Structures are given as structure tokens and as C-alpha cells.
Amino acid sequence: MNPFSILDTRTKDWKNRKDWWITTCGIQSELGREDTQSRTMFWDSPTNVSVFDPVLCELMYDWFSPKGGMVLDPFSGGSVRGIVAEELGRKYIGIDLSHSQIEANKQQSNKPTWICGDSDTELDKLHNESYDFVFTCPPYYDLEVYSDSPLDISTMNDTDFDEKYKSILQKSVSKLKQNRFYCIVVSEVREQSKTGDYKIGKYKRLVSKTIDILEEGGLSFYNDMVLFNSQHQASRVGKTYFERNRKIPSVHQNILVFVKGNPDIATIEIEGGDPMCRVDGKEYLSFRHAAIDIYPNELVATEVQRRCLSTKSKYKEWQIIGEETTPTIKCEVDGIPFESPKQISDLVGLSENECRYRVDSNNPIYRHWKRTDEWDITYQEMQDLWKGIIRLELPMISCDGMEFYSLNEAGEYYNISSERVRQKLNSDKYFNWIYLDNIFIHK
Ligand SMILES: C[S@@+](CC[C@H](N)C(=O)[O-])C[C@H]1O[C@@H](n2cnc3c(N)ncnc32)[C@H](O)[C@@H]1O
């Protein structure tokens, strides 16, 4: 089915698919609504009450919810949205005020979770940000009155309807996870003219009010689709209305899709798959997923990939899962590994140039600064080693147990010339005057 903004229920494919759902899953979504008072003229249903379309359910779950996802419906109505969700591997939680409705649904399937109660209170019992999709179809004001319960919004006057409708919808928004879609099917309803209370029959703006309520609740209006219903009823009675006062019979319903957060991330997460990279401990399904979630304005997938492949410490929290990198140790000081002179500089406080100089220096007091490629350790192991004591210079001679960093220093201490110190170091007579670490042999 092409994801276009008009979904045509009159096509052969659609009708065949609908029949397939109804026969295969024994969906009798019209059941449980025997007490419904309907003044709908254009529903194409034998009982003249609205019956939600299983094919529409299938498309909305397939397009806007993740397999295995949790679906919330604050106005569950008949069984169809619940049964199709479970058949498509989603977990469905549907709330409806009508006891007879819930019982009729349970008769048809116990896989969905049916909650009987006022959504305005039942939703408060559910965890916030824990559902992957909200999919619902509310009462359209009093177009159909489902019960005589004062909590049933279809029984309320427009003001009370708007207030409770807003409360229920905005509570359902808070139950939706970030980066997820929200779909609601609504239609316009005209004000009713009654004897002694003439009305022109203008629309009550249920569609635009729903958009305002959900945007105010934190969602972004994202897709606007139309469900093209059968024209059968409309062509039968609509002409009268049109001729009388140019009322256009409605043969469609509005399918409004909203997104909470980012639609790109929502789509990536709906498609699912195994996590492939991890950034700062958070797993992502793709480099693009990470880029959009972390810095949508600055980061692109290729830069995420570059950072994940980099062995540099500054990107150690950027990893491809299963191909984790380890640091490339290029130098060490006093047996402590570093990736670069810059890294030494950051740790010991000497300038980067000074560190580079010491690594490449032949000065014996920096003999423990060296280039190396012998290390194979993790970032954590490297950083643990940094906690050790790092001697920035090593004494080069020992004179009677006293260590000195230069011949000059020893000379000053013993008040002799550095040349005299050298002589003593090279003389067998002064066997306690030695070069440390056989400096001269190696360097
Ligand atoms: C049936 S649906 C809307 C019709 C739609 N065409 C359908 O088939 O899904 C509306 C449902 O909202 C329920 N309802 C009305 N007020 C409610 C409330 N405060 N809390 C929960 N459900 C409510 C009614 O019992 C009714 O079953």
C-alpha cells in the first residue's frame, strides 16, 4: 500500500484485505455497542454504528510503530485495534469506559489488555514515557452516544467534552516515549439544529481542536491523511442536504499523525535492528541514528563513523559494537603508556613541545621517555596506569648513594668540577660512583 495522504477503502485490495482480517481473526468490532445512539448518516455499517477499519489499523501499526512495541489506546471502542495490534506482534493496552464494550472485546480475544474505566483516571495509573505508539479514535462529540455514563464524553455538552477530551489526550501524550508517533482518527461533526434551537450546522472543529490539543501537549503535527470511506450512504442521502443548504456530505475521516521528538529517530527505532554503535554508553541502530540524536545540526553519520573508528582516547566513548577500538600507544614515560606527547602534556602539565622533545631526547635523564608500539591495552587500563607516579626526570648518576641528575649538580654538591665527577665515575677506585642504568652503555 503506497503511503500517500489519501487511503482509499473502496479499492478491491482494501476490501479483500479487510475481509481477510475480519474472517481470519474473527473480528466483530461492532459488538458491545448495542446501546449506542448514532446520528451518523454516512457510516457504511449494517448497525449504523461506526466500525473501525482493520486495514487502517494494519497500515498505521506497520508504518508508525515498532514490532514488539507497546500500543496505548485511550478510547479503545471495538476489538479491532486491539486484535490487529496483537496479530502484528505489538502489545496493545486499550481503555474504554463501556463495560459491555470491554466484555464484548474480551469475548473476541484476550491477547490485548482491555481496561474498563474512565481514561481520565486510568491513564494516571500507567507509567509515563513507556508506550511506543498511541493509536485511537475518540467519540466525535455526540455523533454517537455510547452510554449514559456522565463520564462518557459522548454524553457531554461541547464545553465539557472539550475539557475532558483535552485532559485525556494530553495524559495519553505523557505516556508516549520520546521519538515516537501518535495517530488519532477524527472527523468533523456539525452542530445540531433542534426545534426552538436553530443552528446553521457549522462544524465544531474537532479536527483542528485535536491538533491544537496535541501540539499544546508537546507533539508536532506531522502527517495529515484522509481515509476515503464508502460514498454509498452519502450518495443516498447527501444530495438532499446539498440541495437544501449546500452541506457537503463527508465521505472521509482525518487520520492525524503526530510525532513526539524526532521523526528521523522515531523511524530508525521503528525499523529496529541490532544496535551497531555506542556513544557515551547509549546504543544506536546506525551512525545516522547517533548523529541525529546527539547533534542533529552539526553531526553527520560519516563523522560518527569516523569517531567510532578512531582509536584516540577522546573518542573512546564512541564505539562500533563488537569492533571496539583500543588506544594506539605511541609513547611511554616511566613505563606508563600514552597515545601522544599531547596526552602526556595534558596529564603532567609540561608543554606538548617539551614532552615531544623529551620523548625523542637522548638526554639520559629522559631515558624513561620513549616511543613505543608494544602496548595492547584498553582505554580503562591505560587511564588506570596514569594514576601511578610518573617521574618526569630520572637521576643519571649515584655518588656514594646520592643520586644526581647531572654531573654539574654532583659537582656543585661536592664542590668539584663536573670533569672531576666524570673522572671519578669512570674510575674503578670510586666504585660507589656510578652511572645509573648503565646509561653510557645504551645511549
Ligand atoms: C467507539 S470509540 C469511537 C468510535 C470509533 N469509530 C471506533 O470505532 O473506534 C469511542 C469509545 O470511547 C469510549 N469512551 C467515551 N468516554 C470515555 C472515557 N471517558 N474514557 C474511556 N473511554 C471513553 C466509549 O465508550 C466508546 O467505546
Side-chain angles (χ1 to χ4, degrees):
M1 187 67 71
N2 292 318
F4 294 156
S5 63
I6 293 186
L7 301 178
D8 192 344
T9 66
R10 305 160 314 150
T11 64
K12 196 160 168 297
D13 279 354
W14 188 291
K15 286 183 177 159
N16 291 346
R17 188 72 178 171
K18 185 175 177 179
D19 294 345
W20 179 86
W21 273 109
I22 291 170
T23 48
T24 311
C25 302
I27 299 172
Q28 299 172 283
S29 203
E30 68 284 0
L31 297 184
R33 219 164 295 163
E34 292 69 18
D35 317 339
T36 297
Q37 307 300 316
S38 170
R39 56 184 178 83
T40 57
M41 281 173 293
F42 305 131
W43 297 129
D44 197 8
S45 79
T47 55
N48 200 28
V49 292
S50 63
V51 177
F52 206 83
D53 194 306
V55 183
L56 176 61
C57 297
E58 180 179 6
L59 291 177
M60 294 306 107
Y61 289 137
D62 189 41
W63 292 351
F64 299 111
S65 76
K67 269 208 170 34
M70 297 272 286
V71 177
L72 175 64
D73 184 350
F75 298 106
S76 72
S79 62
V80 62
R81 287 193 292 278
I83 292 176
V84 174
E86 296 286 341
E87 290 307 319
L88 293 176
R90 277 76 176 167
K91 184 69 208 116
Y92 175 93
I93 289 85
I95 307 168
D96 200 285
L97 188 66
S98 159
H99 188 265
S100 60
Q101 182 68 76
I102 292 293
E103 285 317 305
N105 295 355
K106 284 182 178 170
Q107 294 302 321
Q108 294 164 58
S109 171
N110 267 317
K111 288 186 193 162
T113 303
W114 308 107
I115 299 171
C116 184
D118 174 6
S119 285
D120 213 5
T121 43
E122 293 304 323
L123 286 168
D124 294 335
K125 300 173 187 167
L126 304 178
H127 294 300
N128 282 352
E129 306 233 336
S130 47
Y131 290 83
D132 296 285
F133 189 43
V134 174
F135 183 36
T136 195
C137 180
Y140 303 169
Y141 285 105
D142 58 354
L143 185 67
E144 291 180 325
V145 177
Y146 301 97
S147 71
D148 54 11
S149 158
L151 298 170
D152 185 334
I153 62 173
S154 68
T155 65
M156 296 175 181
N157 63 42
D158 295 0
T159 313
D160 295 345
F161 176 102
D162 289 347
E163 193 185 319
K164 193 170 175 79
Y165 179 57
K166 176 176 177 179
S167 173
I168 290 173
L169 287 196
Q170 293 189 341
K171 282 181 182 177
S172 68
V173 170
S174 66
K175 308 301 164 187
L176 189 65
K177 288 178 185 171
Q178 274 303 325
N179 307 321
R180 290 292 188 273
F181 292 106
Y182 185 117
C183 178
I184 183 166
V185 178
V186 287
S187 183
E188 275 306 346
V189 180
R190 294 183 185 280
E191 60 180 3
Q192 278 301 296
S193 196
K194 295 189 185 83
T195 318
D197 179 11
Y198 172 76
K199 292 261 180 19
I200 63 167
K202 69 180 170 67
Y203 275 147
K204 296 183 177 183
R205 292 185 52 248
L206 181 59
V207 175
S208 50
K209 282 180 186 172
T210 301
I211 296 169
D212 295 344
I213 287 169
L214 291 172
E215 291 222 316
E216 196 193 301
L219 300 184
S220 304
F221 183 32
Y222 195 65
N223 288 316
D224 180 17
M225 293 181 281
V226 162
L227 186 70
F228 202 154
N229 292 327
S230 138
Q231 294 162 299
H232 176 60
Q233 291 291 64
S235 44
R236 209 166 56 72
V237 296
K239 211 159 175 305
T240 327
Y241 288 85
F242 180 76
E243 280 155 8
R244 184 189 295 161
N245 48 30
R246 292 294 179 267
K247 278 194 183 82
I248 301 291
S250 169
V251 293
H252 75 279
Q253 290 178 82
N254 297 78
I255 306 163
L256 310 176
V257 177
F258 299 78
V259 63
K260 187 174 184 176
N262 185 296
D264 289 83
I265 296 176
T267 306
I268 293 168
E269 293 178 5
I270 282 173
E271 299 290 334
D274 298 328
M276 61 84 68
C277 65
R278 185 185 302 112
V279 178
D280 294 331
K282 186 172 178 185
E283 295 188 341
Y284 293 99
L285 303 173
S286 66
F287 296 131
R288 181 167 169 268
H289 188 194
I292 299 170
D293 186 56
I294 300 165
Y295 300 131
N297 299 333
E298 293 150 30
L299 213 46
V300 290
T302 46
E303 173 57 14
V304 173
Q305 183 175 24
R306 188 189 70 76
R307 294 181 183 190
C308 286
L309 292 170
S310 164
T311 63
K312 289 206 174 80
S313 281
K314 78 179 198 182
Y315 296 128
K316 68 179 172 24
E317 298 303 338
W318 300 67
Q319 296 290 351
I320 294 174
I321 294 171
E323 295 169 32
E324 279 73 9
T325 59
T326 55
T328 306
I329 304 303
K330 294 197 183 100
C331 39
E332 69 176 56
V333 182
D334 212 5
I336 305 222
F338 293 91
E339 292 169 291
S340 64
K342 168 85 172 62
Q343 206 171 54
I344 305 171
S345 155
D346 293 344
L347 190 72
V348 302
L350 296 172
S351 74
E352 186 178 344
N353 286 344
E354 176 59 20
C355 292
R356 186 168 289 106
Y357 161 75
R358 292 185 181 201
V359 166
D360 299 325
S361 165
N362 283 328
N363 182 330
I365 66 171
Y366 305 135
R367 62 188 176 278
H368 58 324
W369 292 66
K370 64 182 100 175
R371 298 272 174 198
T372 175
D373 58 3
E374 286 154 19
W375 290 78
D376 180 12
I377 53 171
T378 66
Y379 294 102
Q380 193 52 53
E381 287 162 345
M382 176 179 71
Q383 286 181 331
D384 291 346
L385 287 168
W386 292 353
K387 295 182 187 116
I389 294 166
I390 303 176
R391 296 169 298 168
L392 298 182
E393 293 92 14
L394 288 182
M396 60 182 278
I397 61 176
S398 170
C399 311
D400 293 329
M402 284 287 291
E403 292 184 344
F404 297 97
Y405 291 85
S406 68
L407 276 62
N408 287 343
E409 191 194 4
E412 279 159 21
Y413 182 82
Y414 289 103
N415 198 16
I416 59 178
S417 71
S418 58
E419 184 48 33
R420 179 69 191 123
V421 173
R422 185 190 311 285
Q423 287 163 0
K424 288 179 114 176
L425 285 164
N426 294 330
S427 152
D428 295 340
K429 212 165 87 195
Y430 299 94
F431 55 85
N432 277 336
W433 284 55
I434 57 165
Y435 288 99
L436 294 168
D437 298 340
N438 305 320
I439 286 171
F440 271 91
I441 295 167
H442 289 300
K443 289 218 165 187

